[in-house]
Amino acid sequence: MNALETAWDRVAALSPNPPAWVVQLAALIAVIIVLEPHLWRIARNVVTIAHEGAHLIVAVLVGRRLKGLRLHSDTSGVAISSGKPTGFGVILMTFAGYVGPSILGLGAAGLLGAQRAVSVLWIGVFVIAVMMVLIRNLYGVFSLAVVGAVLFGLVWWGTKEQQVAAAYFLTLFLLFAGPRPVVELQRQRMRRGGAPDSDADQLARLSPIPAIVWVGLFLLVNVAVLVLGGWWILRPVGG
């Protein structure tokens, strides 16, 4: 019981507000990683985890049965669920992928505003643990294990200052990273052969709305969430 109480105390603990320079530095590093091609190639694996995790979360919410998950070294992924092949629930589940990292970042920004920075990291640990149960390929196991180990190390052995800085960085990274995969998706769709199995093209087959409109909706949501979430986080810093 003491161990459970200790773990809960860690999850629920209030976090100190970080100095302004910590938040500004976290934002700068997040932007650099998103814009620098070599760093982005590595960090995009985290975005893929959030993307596929969003598919799985919404699949559960709309009553589908989870079957498995695959994460690939080219930073693509597949979330597998069973249920009705058409309908509003499938549309929601499919739409969730490209907006998922941004929405998760917005939720994390809300927790930061409530001084729950450590909770952001613990939620990440929990999500990774659930995804580990569903993963069906070796690279996926490796990718989840690396991210999960970093998050768990921070929540269990990190100082309060390290945990807060990491939570702000992760949140800002998800917010800043959200629009880039959408731009990459449209570039891929414009090449010869396109991307017929992309989320946008699947949504076009599930609805009367063209794929390019779905791409625009992905981008609109992610940019709006970036502005809102960034304002939530950075406004107190500049105030």
Side-chain angles (χ1 to χ4, degrees), residues 55 64 83-96 196-211 214 218:
H55 281 314
R64 296 179 65 82
K84 288 178 59 179
T86 59
F88 187 62
V90 180
I91 291 174
L92 280 179
M93 179 192 69
T94 307
F95 184 77
D197 294 324
S198 74
D199 290 356
D201 289 272
Q202 291 182 51
L203 286 165
R205 291 192 289 271
L206 289 166
S207 71
I209 301 173
W214 287 110
F218 293 155

Side-chain angles (χ1 to χ4, degrees), residues 93-207:
M93 179 192 69
T94 307
F95 184 77
Y98 274 98
V99 301
S102 294
I103 297 298
L104 292 173
L106 185 65
L111 288 173
L112 294 180
Q115 293 184 281
R116 300 288 182 181
V118 180
S119 298
V120 171
L121 303 178
W122 272 111
I123 290 170
V125 171
F126 175 76
V127 171
I128 293 294
V130 172
M131 295 177 78
M132 283 290 282
V133 175
L134 296 168
I135 199 67
R136 296 293 182 266
N137 68 318
L138 186 59
Y139 182 82
V141 171
F142 170 75
S143 183
L144 290 173
V146 169
V147 175
V150 171
L151 292 175
F152 184 79
L154 282 165
V155 296
W156 204 254
W157 293 291
T159 64
K160 285 289 185 184
E161 292 76 14
Q162 291 169 342
Q163 293 168 350
V164 170
Y168 270 84
F169 166 73
L170 178 60
T171 301
L172 286 161
F173 171 73
L174 289 173
L175 290 172
F176 284 121
R180 179 159 181 173
V182 181
V183 175
E184 293 174 343
L185 167 64
Q186 184 55 23
R187 287 176 180 168
Q188 185 180 3
R189 293 185 67 254
M190 293 172 67
R191 297 188 191 121
R192 180 175 296 181
D197 294 324
S198 74
D199 290 356
D201 289 272
Q202 291 182 51
L203 286 165
R205 291 192 289 271
L206 289 166
S207 71

